[in-house]
Amino acid sequence: MTLTDILAACGGSNNLLRALRVEQQVILELKDPELRSDLAHVLPFHSSLNQVSWTPELPLSNADWDRLGRLIEQNQRQQLVNVSETTESHHRPVWHIAPPQGLLNDPNGFTYHNGEYHLFYQLYPFDCVHKDKYWAHVTSTDLINWQSQPMALFPSDWFDSHGVFSGHAVSTEEELMLFYTGNVRIGEQRDRITTQCLATSTDGIHFTKHGPVIDSLPPSVTPHCRDPKLVKNGEHWLMLLGAQQETAHQETNEVQLLGRLAIYRSTDLRQWEFVSLAGHELNDFGYMWECPDLFELGDQLIAIICPQGIEANSEHHNIPHHNGYLQATLDGNDQLSLSNFQTLDYGFDFYAPQSTEAPDGRRLMVGWMGLPDEIDQPSVKDQWVHQLTCLRELTWQNDKLYQQPARELQQLRGEMQRFELSTSNGDSHIDLGSKSFELQTTLPWPTEGQTTLRVMDNGSEYCDIILDADKQMIQLDRTHTQPTDGETIRELPWTDQRDVEIQLLADNSSLELFINQGEYVMTARVFTAEDATGVRLINDEPVSVDAKAWLLG
């Protein structure tokens, strides 16, 4: 039997959902198993997975496997036609990037290539669940107006059949190269196979897959090995991968899972050799590190990771997902050292950031405004969930990473409104008339008790920014917003009693709070009613502050 015979026996190429490769065995997952002919009925069939197994007399060629991938991609393209329109939703952002439909997660491949910015993001377009991920693609020349491009990568091939997972882009003179993790799950037990894959494009829009460039795991690393980030070190390239090392505990000899970075080296971006695992100096620091980044700001090399399972500094933070940055050194032998972990964003919804260097030398970053495992949000009823953060400029000051909204975002501002918020005669209230706005003010630190800046407020639904003198904390409290997955309070320690300079960017269902020129940031999804457009200052003592605001559009 040839591949053509098998496809016909399985109901034709239009009936193909997936093709899996297990050594010489070919496993075809079918849309409708009832379309199998007698020829296919004699082959092993897994009824709960709708999968037919076939071992050809001669192994399939690379051309055969590519043919299967292109047939499945064609079927997936046809499915996309039904979910290409943007759904109506009063929670939908005005100026952030969000999916037309389905579930968005990690930003990918953020880079500047041939005169424009390219940004990709993880998308499952058919439902608001984490399932087989695609790479959606948008481009911009000004970082304000983003043009949707055709879907860049599909989970169509034997090496990425269960998701084109996160990765990075490299711009060369000849092509745009996308490096990503291919995710495959085998059998009912869903055994995980991960490889690091390459796709290239000469026009920046249409991509050709080349399959795995790293097809085996580093020593002692579990299949949780993903999210390639590429950096230049001298005349060669390094690939950093978020990894999970399986090792024996020194004292108990029990199996221990440790987050690490796996490092590979290449001179041509196609042939890669394993160098080492980095991060041992942090000892037991979570059970998995995701979405690494590495870049230089000034004279400081900075690494970003998303560690899972580390201890939080707040009783209100009990989920395992974290984000942060470290000071790093990298020597000529590609040995990476890490120290001094600090939180990157203290809010609820920030993960998997990606950065790139702008043509003017600025370091720009964008993140996923969401978290793993959290999908039950009010926008789901409108058939979409999650969005990306605003673009942020990064600088290194006073041994800290500062984040500020990219200066291009000022072009979104409408006419400036100036007003006073005062508690002299009870609560003061200003109606901005929109939930897409920028607000700037400075709140004096209270001598005792609390000062609260209440935003997205209609009297019953609102989000509070609380300055708590007794606890020496700044709290972001979304207890009184619409129910959503995730926790309700985030805290930022504030022990030096400085006044709090606030720049707040809101966009219908999101808040990004930049404190003291971006020394600290707190990001949150905040779902409130359409009429929750008020701003209020609350304190038992007389407090007056000047504020200014712009509607953003």
PDB file of all heavy atoms in Angstrom, residues 133-148:
ATOM      1  N   LYS A 133      -1.768  24.991  19.154  1.00  0.00           N
ATOM      2  CA  LYS A 133      -1.498  26.420  18.930  1.00  0.00           C
ATOM      3  C   LYS A 133      -0.986  26.708  17.521  1.00  0.00           C
ATOM      4  O   LYS A 133      -0.175  25.975  16.965  1.00  0.00           O
ATOM      5  CB  LYS A 133      -0.482  26.937  19.957  1.00  0.00           C
ATOM      6  CG  LYS A 133      -0.979  26.840  21.396  1.00  0.00           C
ATOM      7  CD  LYS A 133      -2.205  27.692  21.646  1.00  0.00           C
ATOM      8  CE  LYS A 133      -2.823  27.434  23.001  1.00  0.00           C
ATOM      9  NZ  LYS A 133      -1.914  27.540  24.119  1.00  0.00           N
ATOM     10  N   TYR A 134      -1.467  27.818  16.966  1.00  0.00           N
ATOM     11  CA  TYR A 134      -1.018  28.398  15.705  1.00  0.00           C
ATOM     12  C   TYR A 134      -0.152  29.622  16.025  1.00  0.00           C
ATOM     13  O   TYR A 134      -0.167  30.120  17.143  1.00  0.00           O
ATOM     14  CB  TYR A 134      -2.213  28.858  14.872  1.00  0.00           C
ATOM     15  CG  TYR A 134      -3.139  27.772  14.369  1.00  0.00           C
ATOM     16  CD1 TYR A 134      -3.857  26.943  15.243  1.00  0.00           C
ATOM     17  CD2 TYR A 134      -3.331  27.594  13.005  1.00  0.00           C
ATOM     18  CE1 TYR A 134      -4.712  25.962  14.771  1.00  0.00           C
ATOM     19  CE2 TYR A 134      -4.203  26.613  12.520  1.00  0.00           C
ATOM     20  CZ  TYR A 134      -4.889  25.808  13.404  1.00  0.00           C
ATOM     21  OH  TYR A 134      -5.744  24.844  12.936  1.00  0.00           O
ATOM     22  N   TRP A 135       0.548  30.130  15.021  1.00  0.00           N
ATOM     23  CA  TRP A 135       1.208  31.429  15.135  1.00  0.00           C
ATOM     24  C   TRP A 135       0.450  32.443  14.292  1.00  0.00           C
ATOM     25  O   TRP A 135       0.522  32.412  13.053  1.00  0.00           O
ATOM     26  CB  TRP A 135       2.665  31.346  14.644  1.00  0.00           C
ATOM     27  CG  TRP A 135       3.654  30.951  15.697  1.00  0.00           C
ATOM     28  CD1 TRP A 135       3.444  30.090  16.732  1.00  0.00           C
ATOM     29  CD2 TRP A 135       5.020  31.395  15.804  1.00  0.00           C
ATOM     30  NE1 TRP A 135       4.594  29.958  17.482  1.00  0.00           N
ATOM     31  CE2 TRP A 135       5.572  30.738  16.938  1.00  0.00           C
ATOM     32  CE3 TRP A 135       5.822  32.253  15.068  1.00  0.00           C
ATOM     33  CZ2 TRP A 135       6.900  30.931  17.337  1.00  0.00           C
ATOM     34  CZ3 TRP A 135       7.140  32.439  15.468  1.00  0.00           C
ATOM     35  CH2 TRP A 135       7.666  31.793  16.590  1.00  0.00           C
ATOM     36  N   ALA A 136      -0.287  33.344  14.955  1.00  0.00           N
ATOM     37  CA  ALA A 136      -0.888  34.488  14.259  1.00  0.00           C
ATOM     38  C   ALA A 136       0.198  35.544  14.045  1.00  0.00           C
ATOM     39  O   ALA A 136       1.220  35.554  14.734  1.00  0.00           O
ATOM     40  CB  ALA A 136      -2.045  35.045  15.067  1.00  0.00           C
ATOM     41  N   HIS A 137      -0.031  36.468  13.125  1.00  0.00           N
ATOM     42  CA  HIS A 137       1.035  37.371  12.666  1.00  0.00           C
ATOM     43  C   HIS A 137       0.461  38.762  12.411  1.00  0.00           C
ATOM     44  O   HIS A 137      -0.539  38.908  11.712  1.00  0.00           O
ATOM     45  CB  HIS A 137       1.617  36.797  11.364  1.00  0.00           C
ATOM     46  CG  HIS A 137       2.794  37.534  10.819  1.00  0.00           C
ATOM     47  ND1 HIS A 137       3.242  37.346   9.521  1.00  0.00           N
ATOM     48  CD2 HIS A 137       3.620  38.465  11.370  1.00  0.00           C
ATOM     49  CE1 HIS A 137       4.295  38.121   9.308  1.00  0.00           C
ATOM     50  NE2 HIS A 137       4.541  38.807  10.411  1.00  0.00           N
ATOM     51  N   VAL A 138       1.086  39.778  13.005  1.00  0.00           N
ATOM     52  CA  VAL A 138       0.746  41.177  12.732  1.00  0.00           C
ATOM     53  C   VAL A 138       2.040  41.944  12.461  1.00  0.00           C
ATOM     54  O   VAL A 138       3.110  41.583  12.950  1.00  0.00           O
ATOM     55  CB  VAL A 138      -0.041  41.827  13.893  1.00  0.00           C
ATOM     56  CG1 VAL A 138      -1.419  41.204  14.037  1.00  0.00           C
ATOM     57  CG2 VAL A 138       0.732  41.722  15.204  1.00  0.00           C
ATOM     58  N   THR A 139       1.920  43.005  11.674  1.00  0.00           N
ATOM     59  CA  THR A 139       3.081  43.839  11.335  1.00  0.00           C
ATOM     60  C   THR A 139       2.731  45.303  11.527  1.00  0.00           C
ATOM     61  O   THR A 139       1.566  45.700  11.475  1.00  0.00           O
ATOM     62  CB  THR A 139       3.542  43.610   9.882  1.00  0.00           C
ATOM     63  OG1 THR A 139       2.438  43.864   8.992  1.00  0.00           O
ATOM     64  CG2 THR A 139       4.046  42.196   9.671  1.00  0.00           C
ATOM     65  N   SER A 140       3.779  46.120  11.723  1.00  0.00           N
ATOM     66  CA  SER A 140       3.573  47.554  11.928  1.00  0.00           C
ATOM     67  C   SER A 140       4.839  48.307  11.531  1.00  0.00           C
ATOM     68  O   SER A 140       5.954  47.822  11.727  1.00  0.00           O
ATOM     69  CB  SER A 140       3.252  47.842  13.401  1.00  0.00           C
ATOM     70  OG  SER A 140       3.115  49.233  13.638  1.00  0.00           O
ATOM     71  N   THR A 141       4.643  49.498  11.023  1.00  0.00           N
ATOM     72  CA  THR A 141       5.782  50.384  10.755  1.00  0.00           C
ATOM     73  C   THR A 141       5.935  51.437  11.843  1.00  0.00           C
ATOM     74  O   THR A 141       6.980  52.089  11.922  1.00  0.00           O
ATOM     75  CB  THR A 141       5.616  51.093   9.400  1.00  0.00           C
ATOM     76  OG1 THR A 141       4.370  51.813   9.393  1.00  0.00           O
ATOM     77  CG2 THR A 141       5.612  50.090   8.251  1.00  0.00           C
ATOM     78  N   ASP A 142       4.901  51.596  12.705  1.00  0.00           N
ATOM     79  CA  ASP A 142       4.924  52.694  13.680  1.00  0.00           C
ATOM     80  C   ASP A 142       4.629  52.255  15.117  1.00  0.00           C
ATOM     81  O   ASP A 142       4.545  53.095  16.016  1.00  0.00           O
ATOM     82  CB  ASP A 142       3.927  53.780  13.269  1.00  0.00           C
ATOM     83  CG  ASP A 142       2.490  53.283  13.181  1.00  0.00           C
ATOM     84  OD1 ASP A 142       2.230  52.118  13.546  1.00  0.00           O
ATOM     85  OD2 ASP A 142       1.627  54.066  12.744  1.00  0.00           O
ATOM     86  N   LEU A 143       4.436  50.957  15.352  1.00  0.00           N
ATOM     87  CA  LEU A 143       4.126  50.401  16.672  1.00  0.00           C
ATOM     88  C   LEU A 143       2.760  50.832  17.207  1.00  0.00           C
ATOM     89  O   LEU A 143       2.433  50.566  18.367  1.00  0.00           O
ATOM     90  CB  LEU A 143       5.219  50.762  17.705  1.00  0.00           C
ATOM     91  CG  LEU A 143       6.619  50.235  17.394  1.00  0.00           C
ATOM     92  CD1 LEU A 143       7.627  50.777  18.413  1.00  0.00           C
ATOM     93  CD2 LEU A 143       6.642  48.707  17.402  1.00  0.00           C
ATOM     94  N   ILE A 144       1.969  51.480  16.382  1.00  0.00           N
ATOM     95  CA  ILE A 144       0.616  51.903  16.765  1.00  0.00           C
ATOM     96  C   ILE A 144      -0.422  51.157  15.936  1.00  0.00           C
ATOM     97  O   ILE A 144      -1.360  50.559  16.469  1.00  0.00           O
ATOM     98  CB  ILE A 144       0.435  53.425  16.551  1.00  0.00           C
ATOM     99  CG1 ILE A 144       1.383  54.209  17.453  1.00  0.00           C
ATOM    100  CG2 ILE A 144      -1.008  53.839  16.819  1.00  0.00           C
ATOM    101  CD1 ILE A 144       1.089  54.065  18.919  1.00  0.00           C
ATOM    102  N   ASN A 145      -0.256  51.210  14.633  1.00  0.00           N
ATOM    103  CA  ASN A 145      -1.192  50.565  13.714  1.00  0.00           C
ATOM    104  C   ASN A 145      -0.637  49.201  13.316  1.00  0.00           C
ATOM    105  O   ASN A 145       0.430  49.126  12.687  1.00  0.00           O
ATOM    106  CB  ASN A 145      -1.394  51.442  12.481  1.00  0.00           C
ATOM    107  CG  ASN A 145      -1.970  52.801  12.835  1.00  0.00           C
ATOM    108  OD1 ASN A 145      -3.133  52.902  13.196  1.00  0.00           O
ATOM    109  ND2 ASN A 145      -1.151  53.842  12.755  1.00  0.00           N
ATOM    110  N   TRP A 146      -1.371  48.153  13.678  1.00  0.00           N
ATOM    111  CA  TRP A 146      -0.927  46.789  13.413  1.00  0.00           C
ATOM    112  C   TRP A 146      -1.798  46.161  12.333  1.00  0.00           C
ATOM    113  O   TRP A 146      -3.029  46.184  12.432  1.00  0.00           O
ATOM    114  CB  TRP A 146      -0.980  45.957  14.684  1.00  0.00           C
ATOM    115  CG  TRP A 146       0.053  46.390  15.696  1.00  0.00           C
ATOM    116  CD1 TRP A 146      -0.099  47.291  16.704  1.00  0.00           C
ATOM    117  CD2 TRP A 146       1.417  45.966  15.748  1.00  0.00           C
ATOM    118  NE1 TRP A 146       1.073  47.451  17.399  1.00  0.00           N
ATOM    119  CE2 TRP A 146       2.032  46.647  16.842  1.00  0.00           C
ATOM    120  CE3 TRP A 146       2.187  45.068  15.005  1.00  0.00           C
ATOM    121  CZ2 TRP A 146       3.371  46.450  17.183  1.00  0.00           C
ATOM    122  CZ3 TRP A 146       3.512  44.873  15.354  1.00  0.00           C
ATOM    123  CH2 TRP A 146       4.093  45.565  16.432  1.00  0.00           C
ATOM    124  N   GLN A 147      -1.149  45.630  11.325  1.00  0.00           N
ATOM    125  CA  GLN A 147      -1.836  45.028  10.187  1.00  0.00           C
ATOM    126  C   GLN A 147      -1.849  43.509  10.348  1.00  0.00           C
ATOM    127  O   GLN A 147      -0.797  42.889  10.510  1.00  0.00           O
ATOM    128  CB  GLN A 147      -1.101  45.397   8.889  1.00  0.00           C
ATOM    129  CG  GLN A 147      -1.664  44.771   7.633  1.00  0.00           C
ATOM    130  CD  GLN A 147      -3.016  45.351   7.254  1.00  0.00           C
ATOM    131  OE1 GLN A 147      -3.237  46.555   7.387  1.00  0.00           O
ATOM    132  NE2 GLN A 147      -3.924  44.510   6.799  1.00  0.00           N
ATOM    133  N   SER A 148      -3.035  42.927  10.298  1.00  0.00           N
ATOM    134  CA  SER A 148      -3.118  41.466  10.373  1.00  0.00           C
ATOM    135  C   SER A 148      -2.598  40.853   9.084  1.00  0.00           C
ATOM    136  O   SER A 148      -2.950  41.291   7.985  1.00  0.00           O
ATOM    137  CB  SER A 148      -4.565  41.019  10.604  1.00  0.00           C
ATOM    138  OG  SER A 148      -5.000  41.408  11.890  1.00  0.00           O
TER     139      SER A 148
END
